[in-house]
Amino acid sequence: QSPPITYQAHHPPLYHVSALLFFKPAYLISQGDLIITYYATKLISALYYALSIYFAWRIGTFLLKNRKVAAYLVMVYAINPVTLKMGVSINPDIASTCVAMATLFVFLKLSKKISFSIKTILLLSLLLAISTLIKFQNISYVLFIFAFFIIRGFQLKKIWMFLRYFGILLFFFLLFISPWLWFSYTTYHTITPSYVAYRFFCTANLISIPWLRIPFEVLYEFRHAFFHFAGFLGWGEPYPFKPFFIVYAGSFIFALLLGVRKIIQIKDKNWLLVLIHAASICLFFLGVSITYKVNRYSCDVQGRYLLSALFPFILIVWRGSNKEPIARYLFLFSIWQYLFILCYVLIPRYYV
């Protein structure tokens, strides 16, 4: 008999399996007390939160060399409202962010290698498999890794050798995730979560959208992510005044575009990796947004979905200026933002 289908059942299981590290002892010690077990299980997200900060720090010091600037930018990431919320939620997004940081750091460290052993390829495929089995969106790193091998192949004029590396990595990656693919196919008759989401949890509630409007509609859904980065957290009142979100999102996107232009101009291979890493995540959700709009489903690309790209975004924003005072200003603003959201939204909503 097939297991009952719930909202979480169609997602890969690794985050929830890792949560057993805290769930099981708490459940046994408390004799099944729901409150104790619930809050103890949150500790796995706190652990992933701490690890994501560690990898952000390693990435920052690797790229910037200036430890003060790296510390400022890591703190901007660490105290963002979405990062903090996911760090205390029973949700795979913070684990997904942790492995995203680890993946970026590993490939930055490998960016000077001129060849790869089978052992290294095997470990990289295992890292990609673990990422995907935490949250399906991390399959987007296949595109990131492909771009890495293509660029490295052209740089060393050994394109076919690096394509072989990618082919071997892809083979082992599919081998590692094949048990989950088989389970998903035999249980839900698909190997992707989207079909299950459409079938059981979505309604085609939009009118038919003219094809010329679809590109705008698709990109417009990304506004939610930047609103959430600003502190638009969950349902309920109060919320800060709407112009705050509009100015924050507009400024963030504008500064991000300036940073992208700067990275393309300087052609530094490490910064290009940061850009490609963030782009692979965005392209995945661009595809999701297109699929939803074409099929007339409501869609919003939430901040927690793009949390994996938040620290690369912050790095790209800073790279647009490449000045230490800008990092300090970003840090001071993030402190103000944290206190503003705490005092204006969270305390009145939950404690007043």
Side-chain angles (χ1 to χ4, degrees), residues 153-329:
F154 276 113
Q155 288 172 341
L156 298 174
K157 298 180 180 180
K158 295 180 179 179
I159 185 67
W160 293 113
M161 182 177 77
F162 278 86
L163 282 174
R164 284 198 298 272
Y165 288 154
F166 178 73
I168 296 169
L169 183 146
L170 194 61
F171 171 78
F172 282 113
F173 163 66
L174 292 172
L175 186 65
F176 287 140
I177 67 168
S178 58
W180 168 251
L181 295 179
W182 176 253
F183 171 81
S184 184
Y185 182 77
T186 55
T187 306
Y188 309 117
H189 310 296
T190 179
I191 60 173
T192 66
S194 298
Y195 172 81
V196 181
Y198 293 155
R199 176 66 179 82
F200 293 98
F201 309 111
C202 296
T203 303
N205 55 358
L206 301 178
I207 61 173
S208 181
I209 302 172
W211 284 101
L212 291 177
R213 269 184 52 194
I214 285 181
F216 171 78
E217 293 278 349
V218 165
L219 293 174
Y220 191 57
E221 295 299 340
F222 281 80
R223 75 192 187 280
H224 297 284
F226 294 94
F227 286 171
H228 293 171
F229 292 151
F232 193 92
L233 301 172
W235 296 98
E237 297 290 342
Y239 279 125
F241 45 94
K242 193 170 183 179
F244 171 76
F245 296 114
I246 296 173
V247 171
Y248 179 97
S251 302
F252 198 146
I253 294 169
F254 179 72
L256 194 59
L257 292 175
L258 291 179
V260 169
R261 187 184 69 171
K262 184 70 173 180
I263 290 172
I264 293 173
Q265 287 174 346
I266 62 174
K267 298 179 181 179
D268 182 284
K269 64 181 180 181
N270 289 330
W271 282 98
L272 282 173
L273 273 182
V274 174
L275 182 58
I276 293 168
H277 180 273
S280 66
I281 299 168
C282 293
L283 283 172
F284 176 85
F285 285 106
L286 189 67
V288 170
S289 185
I290 291 171
T291 304
Y292 269 63
K293 290 299 179 181
V294 168
N295 289 281
R296 299 192 297 117
Y297 292 112
S298 295
C299 173
D300 61 325
V301 180
Q302 299 179 29
R304 64 189 180 93
Y305 301 160
L306 290 188
L307 185 58
S308 300
L310 177 58
F311 188 61
F313 282 171
I314 293 167
L315 289 170
I316 293 167
V317 165
W318 176 81
R319 195 64 183 84
S321 66
N322 199 29
K323 295 178 180 178
E324 182 177 322
I326 297 299
R328 183 167 62 249
Y329 297 148

Side-chain angles (χ1 to χ4, degrees), residues 15 19-20 22-23 26 36-45 90:
Y15 168 81
L20 292 173
F22 295 101
F23 173 87
I36 293 174
T37 304
Y38 173 72
Y39 281 98
T41 306
K42 285 174 174 279
L43 291 174
I44 192 63
S45 291
I90 302 176

Side-chain angles (χ1 to χ4, degrees), residues 101-117:
M101 299 287 198
T103 301
L104 178 56
F105 175 67
V106 166
F107 278 90
L108 285 170
K109 295 289 283 186
L110 294 175
S111 61
K112 293 183 179 180
K113 288 183 71 69
I114 60 175
S115 63
F116 293 85
S117 66

Side-chain angles (χ1 to χ4, degrees), residues 2-22:
S2 298
I5 296 175
T6 68
Y7 186 72
Q8 292 296 332
H10 66 277
H11 286 297
L14 203 52
Y15 168 81
H16 302 285
V17 171
S18 67
L20 292 173
L21 178 67
F22 295 101

Side-chain angles (χ1 to χ4, degrees), residues 3 10 17 55 58 61 97 115 124-125 131 153 185 210 253 256 268 285 308 310 327 330 343 345 347 349:
H10 66 277
V17 171
F55 284 116
R58 295 299 302 272
T61 53
T97 301
S115 63
L124 291 176
S125 63
S131 301
Y185 182 77
I253 294 169
L256 194 59
D268 182 284
F285 285 106
S308 300
L310 177 58
L330 289 172
C343 297
V345 178
I347 291 177
R349 183 185 299 178

Side-chain angles (χ1 to χ4, degrees), residues 16-70:
H16 302 285
V17 171
S18 67
L20 292 173
L21 178 67
F22 295 101
F23 173 87
K24 198 66 175 179
Y27 185 84
L28 293 174
I29 293 171
S30 68
Q31 297 182 333
D33 184 276
L34 178 63
I35 301 300
I36 293 174
T37 304
Y38 173 72
Y39 281 98
T41 306
K42 285 174 174 279
L43 291 174
I44 192 63
S45 291
L47 177 59
Y48 284 123
Y49 169 77
L51 286 172
S52 74
I53 293 173
Y54 167 76
F55 284 116
W57 170 250
R58 295 299 302 272
I59 292 167
T61 53
F62 181 88
L63 285 170
L64 306 175
K65 312 305 178 185
N66 186 328
R67 296 172 74 87
K68 184 183 290 187
V69 171

